[in-house]
Amino acid sequence: CNDPEDFNIFIGPLVSGGPKQGTVLNPPIGVPFTYSLEGWGLSRHDRISIVDHTVACETADAHVMSGGVWPSTEPYRPPDVQDGADEGNLTTIAWNGIIVTRMKEYRVCLCSRFNGGCVEGANYALDIGIIKPLGPSNTTLINGVPGLPFRLTVNADPKSNLSSADQIRIVSTDITRGVCGSSGTASNTPYLTDTVCWPTCEESAVGKPPEMEENNTKEVWYPMLLTSGGAFDICWCNNGWGGCDDDEDFKVQVGKIYSNGVKSGQAWYCASQMACEVEVAFTGSTTVEDAIQIISPESNSRCGLAEQMNAALFTRGTRISGAPGLGSTPALYDQHVMTFNLGAPQTPGFYQVCYCQGTHCQSESVRNLDFFQHVGSITVSGLSG
């Protein structure tokens, strides 16, 4: 049996079963899709794993599902669809309801006929296809300041289109813990305002459909405004899926917002005719050129819109530049602060404190509008008259 002519008896064909390979699937991100296999010799005992495209099938991590597959939809189960005349040699199998939440490329590996229990990477030996979802790119990054309106833009990934039915939620990272779709994701942060005044007031884009631009490859929400600092995830709902009213409808993250400003809601207490100082802790956006402005306590007085109060109310005025130093109050002791010396208040009362950040705060051209951050209030005690 050394020569070709020695093999002169035909005993039958050898048929290799298995799925068609090389399939590239482009499902919409954030909504359920079906992953189907066609071929011959498929089985109800077949299993698939969906891994990052950087993971090769049959390697140690080939059995570990990618973090981009929504946990409750991971296909660790028999196929939902099992078609074929011969139960032992199916021609079509499929898994329904799979959801991917991250815009990246995935590889699909097959563990054939429950080989080795399908519990190790080596069991998922066959590379059967690629998944490239369609949707928005996770590239939106906004560095803002509390009280300053901003424009939120979401861009489509290449070859993708977006929809005016898409919705977003802006959620504190303290709530999401880095995972859009987790508990609390369906509600915007309370620091997101319904009205934006800059300087005239108008409704914000919160809860509204996006403005579509560039052939539906870009969606824009404007104006938007946050009243407090912090880190926020931008969570996205695909084309009104599920009504966009449950946490899991917003399972796709499309960006982040970092709102850097002074801490709001602070309170200071001074006595009439006695020295009055305001200390504000340094943050990532504080500068030595910052300034404060005192405005009326009336409920309709808003930082950035209201006029500075009469400068004679404090002996050093009601628009004051600061000086860097160390905190002297218990809450700020030995912390780096900006200290604003207002001098002695002349009249007891309640005053709002507005904040301006940057070199322009000490220039002659500085405006009321530049003091748009509400940092807190001063209560001055004492006798009138």
Side-chain angles (χ1 to χ4, degrees), residues 94-319:
W95 289 262
N96 298 328
I98 301 171
I99 300 175
V100 292
T101 62
R102 299 177 188 173
M103 289 297 296
K104 58 183 178 181
E105 190 171 301
Y106 303 87
R107 188 183 310 281
V108 184
C109 303
L110 177 69
C111 173
S112 183
R113 296 179 178 266
F114 213 60
N115 174 39
C118 297
V119 294
E120 296 181 355
N123 305 142
Y124 291 83
L126 191 60
D127 188 331
I128 54 176
I130 294 293
I131 296 174
K132 293 181 178 179
L134 300 177
S137 60
N138 184 9
T139 57
T140 300
L141 178 61
I142 297 172
N143 289 294
V145 179
L148 183 67
F150 62 89
R151 172 187 174 99
L152 195 157
T153 301
V154 174
N155 294 297
D157 207 55
K159 299 183 180 179
S160 299
N161 285 307
L162 304 175
S163 165
S164 60
D166 297 339
Q167 295 188 32
I168 57 168
R169 295 291 185 266
I170 297 175
V171 190
S172 169
T173 55
D174 292 336
I175 299 295
T176 64
R177 300 295 179 184
V179 180
C180 285
S182 56
S183 177
T185 304
S187 300
N188 281 310
T189 173
Y191 299 123
L192 197 63
T193 64
D194 294 326
T195 303
V196 176
C197 299
W198 194 261
T200 58
C201 296
E202 60 180 305
E203 288 187 3
S204 77
V206 174
K208 294 183 178 181
E211 295 292 330
M212 306 305 296
E213 298 182 358
E214 298 182 15
N215 295 319
N216 296 330
T217 61
K218 179 180 291 187
E219 46 196 21
V220 177
W221 284 266
Y222 179 83
M224 305 283 274
L225 187 144
L226 286 162
T227 60
S228 180
F232 304 87
D233 286 325
I234 307 171
C235 302
W236 185 85
C237 174
N238 192 337
N239 197 28
W241 171 257
C244 291
D245 51 13
D246 292 330
D247 293 331
E248 289 198 6
D249 297 336
F250 292 89
K251 60 175 65 71
V252 179
Q253 181 173 336
V254 295
K256 277 190 173 293
I257 299 173
Y258 295 99
S259 182
N260 297 307
V262 292
K263 180 183 177 182
S264 60
Q266 301 181 65
W268 297 273
Y269 300 89
C270 296
S272 179
Q273 306 301 324
M274 303 285 288
C276 182
E277 290 187 342
V278 167
E279 292 181 347
V280 177
F282 265 88
T283 66
S285 55
T286 309
T287 74
V288 294
E289 288 85 9
D290 294 354
I292 61 169
Q293 176 169 289
I294 307 300
I295 67 170
S296 166
E298 299 296 328
S299 59
N300 60 352
S301 293
R302 301 180 62 170
C303 288
L305 302 179
E307 294 286 337
Q308 144 191 20
M309 292 191 76
N310 187 337
L313 288 170
F314 292 80
T315 57
R316 297 195 69 245
T318 53
R319 181 180 286 176

Side-chain angles (χ1 to χ4, degrees), residues 82-93:
Q82 304 172 17
D83 288 336
D86 183 351
E87 186 177 303
N89 293 291
L90 301 175
T91 54
T92 300
I93 55 176

Side-chain angles (χ1 to χ4, degrees), residues 35-50:
Y35 192 84
S36 299
L37 291 179
E38 295 182 350
W40 184 87
L42 304 177
S43 167
R44 64 186 180 88
H45 300 297
D46 290 344
R47 301 290 187 271
I48 59 170
S49 66
I50 301 173

